[in-house]
Amino acid sequence: MKNPEIKVTETKLLSDNWYILNKVTFDYQKKDGKVESHIREVYDRGNGAAILLYNSAKKTVILTRQFRLPTYLNGNKTGMMIEVCAGLLDQDNAEQAVIRETEEETGYRLKKVQKVIETYMSPGSVTEILYLFVGEYDETMKVNDGGGLDAEQENIEVLEYTFEEAYNMIESGEITDAKTILLLQHAKIKNLI
């Protein structure tokens, strides 16, 4: 259902080099009935999925570390980020995508995952919906070393921490990625580990 108080009047493509960047002009009707015209740039990179892999017997989690240029350009001295496994949906549904990404990035082949929540991570400028999952892993599910796909120029380090170590890395500032913080907090609240 469309919002009758919003009317998009123009969409201008600014870039489709990596993903889609549009300049959108729209009219917004305020509560007092007055209409204001707004212009915003909107980045559409597609929707994504992320997963916290946990092992309840060992009380561990699998995370990844990789270089993230935007963080480097905005003050992260190394550009390296510790994160949960994540990726774009591409043509898959969220569950299929997160299972695919888990194997590509971490080397673990999951058969079952549990959806936690859908969230907009940066709704002021990015269209992406991020689907968050948890999934239990054990050593029998390890089918390769992970590390990502060469075709996607991924260079991903697979990390295994105790849950407490990972959770404490939020407070120490070693983990600053929002999706990772949300999933670690979910695991803590739900006593998954």
Side-chain angles (χ1 to χ4, degrees):
M1 181 163 89
K2 296 289 184 183
N3 185 340
E5 297 170 351
I6 306 295
K7 180 181 177 191
V8 175
T9 58
E10 182 182 15
T11 301
K12 181 178 179 185
L13 179 66
L14 299 179
S15 175
D16 66 353
N17 185 38
W18 188 250
Y19 298 112
I20 306 288
L21 178 62
N22 284 315
K23 181 178 179 180
V24 179
T25 304
F26 64 98
D27 291 336
Y28 178 82
Q29 183 178 346
K30 298 179 358 177
K31 291 187 189 296
D32 65 6
K34 291 182 183 172
V35 176
E36 294 179 333
S37 185
H38 295 259
I39 299 172
R40 299 287 185 272
E41 290 182 2
V42 178
Y43 193 57
D44 184 352
R45 61 181 304 274
N47 295 327
I51 187 167
L52 176 65
L53 300 174
Y54 70 94
N55 183 307
S56 55
K58 291 173 40 180
K59 299 193 180 319
T60 55
V61 295
I62 297 288
L63 299 174
T64 64
R65 181 183 0 247
Q66 62 184 304
F67 179 75
R68 297 297 198 180
L69 177 63
T71 73
Y72 182 72
L73 296 174
N74 196 23
N76 179 354
K77 290 180 182 170
T78 66
M80 301 303 285
M81 293 288 289
I82 296 173
E83 308 173 33
V84 292
C85 173
L88 293 176
L89 301 188
D90 297 324
Q91 302 303 314
D92 293 333
N93 67 42
E95 185 174 316
Q96 292 167 328
V98 83
I99 289 171
R100 178 193 74 236
E101 289 292 331
T102 297
E103 187 170 333
E104 290 174 6
E105 291 189 6
T106 70
Y108 286 90
R109 182 174 294 154
L110 301 178
K111 291 183 173 41
K112 186 174 85 171
V113 297
Q114 178 186 354
K115 185 176 169 189
V116 173
I117 196 169
E118 298 175 22
T119 183
Y120 291 96
M121 297 301 285
S122 190
S125 59
V126 181
T127 62
E128 178 186 37
I129 295 172
L130 192 58
Y131 300 87
L132 300 180
F133 293 84
V134 293
E136 192 152 9
Y137 75 94
D138 64 45
E139 295 311 311
T140 66
M141 298 173 175
K142 186 82 169 164
V143 295
N144 64 59
D145 291 334
L149 299 178
D150 289 339
E152 294 180 8
Q153 296 181 306
E154 293 178 316
N155 185 20
I156 298 169
E157 182 182 357
V158 181
L159 309 168
E160 186 174 41
Y161 293 107
T162 68
F163 176 74
E164 286 306 314
E165 284 175 317
Y167 195 79
N168 290 335
M169 291 168 77
I170 298 169
E171 189 169 338
S172 71
E174 294 169 84
I175 293 178
T176 57
D177 174 65
K179 65 187 175 295
T180 304
I181 293 168
L182 284 171
L183 284 168
L184 287 169
Q185 289 178 337
H186 170 81
K188 183 83 157 182
I189 291 166
K190 296 293 186 178
N191 294 313
L192 290 181
I193 305 167

